[in-house]
Amino acid sequence: FIIPPLGVMAIVLAVFAGAGFYPFGSGSVSWCDMNQQTIPLLIDFKDILDSKSGMFLNMNNAAGMNFYGVFFFFLASPFSLLVKFVDKADMAVFANILVLLKLMTAAVTAQIYFRAYQKKLSRPLSVILSMMYALCGYGMLFYQNVIWLDMMYLFPLLMLSLETLIKKQNNIPYIIMITAMLIVNYYISY
């Protein structure tokens, strides 16, 4: 369970090094929607966590708005809580860390699924497939909307819970996973 995320980390960090991205330079993977939406919202969320703004009425956006809807659309990922420890000026390079952590988590959850329900796979093959899942085209294309990566690491757990529902007639894991996905991002989870 350690090898897939470490492999993903090595590959992503090699790409970061080649492109001069943080931590090997000052560059950021942030572009398009990440620059225009995610980073400003992460900065607003940091203000909320630092008690400089509120969730109910946030005056930092749209001349004042309720932040709950934005939170549950863009930021309800457990990884978003890490902004508490990041300076606002470093939020663009923090995007590199967010993408890396979410891809590594996708590798772990894929490995959990493969080891639990694809027992015929050899360990090396399950490691390779887990890394391929984490670095698939979907992740590489949609990383700019980091909320989509949350569904990527939750999906293997959803499949695991579905297998449990079908094979063991236990619906609790499935209900927990659907609930977790709805909390993390109601829009993508449906």
Side-chain angles (χ1 to χ4, degrees):
F1 296 101
I2 297 293
I3 296 171
L6 291 179
V8 167
M9 181 174 72
I11 292 168
V12 171
L13 289 178
V15 170
F16 284 2
F21 289 161
Y22 177 86
F24 305 102
S26 60
S28 173
V29 297
S30 179
W31 68 285
C32 196
D33 283 350
M34 196 182 287
N35 277 342
Q36 297 166 4
Q37 295 172 329
T38 307
I39 289 176
L41 293 172
L42 287 171
I43 290 170
D44 287 347
F45 187 53
K46 178 175 178 52
D47 283 343
I48 291 167
L49 292 175
D50 290 341
S51 301
K52 295 178 183 175
S53 189
M55 288 286 282
F56 181 67
L57 179 60
N58 184 316
M59 295 304 288
N60 294 333
N61 284 314
M65 66 180 220
N66 183 321
F67 202 75
Y68 283 104
V70 170
F71 177 77
F72 285 109
F73 185 83
F74 281 100
L75 304 173
S77 168
F79 291 102
S80 295
L81 295 171
L82 294 174
V83 299
K84 176 75 173 157
F85 310 106
V86 179
D87 290 332
K88 288 181 184 180
D90 295 331
M91 208 59 73
V93 293
F94 176 64
N96 297 12
I97 295 168
L98 264 181
V99 168
L100 176 62
L101 290 174
K102 290 183 181 191
L103 291 176
M104 289 172 64
T105 305
V108 169
T109 59
Q111 180 70 344
I112 290 169
Y113 174 77
F114 290 137
R115 298 309 306 150
Y117 280 105
Q118 301 300 323
K119 294 183 189 283
K120 291 181 182 178
L121 291 176
S122 66
R123 287 180 190 244
L125 185 56
S126 70
V127 165
I128 291 168
L129 289 173
S130 298
M131 291 173 56
M132 289 174 64
Y133 175 77
L135 298 171
C136 71
Y138 176 91
M140 299 298 99
L141 181 62
F142 291 114
Y143 78 87
Q144 61 155 324
N145 291 309
V146 290
I147 56 168
W148 293 58
L149 296 182
D150 291 307
M151 291 302 117
M152 212 174 142
Y153 67 74
L154 289 171
F155 183 73
L157 300 178
L158 177 69
M159 293 297 97
L160 192 65
S161 70
L162 189 59
E163 292 271 357
T164 303
L165 174 66
I166 293 168
K167 292 182 178 174
K168 297 180 181 174
Q169 303 296 306
N170 182 357
N171 64 354
I172 300 300
Y174 185 74
I175 291 168
I176 290 169
M177 281 314 305
I178 291 292
T179 303
M181 293 176 89
L182 285 168
I183 289 170
V184 169
N185 190 291
Y186 64 88
Y187 178 71
I188 297 171
S189 63
Y190 78 83

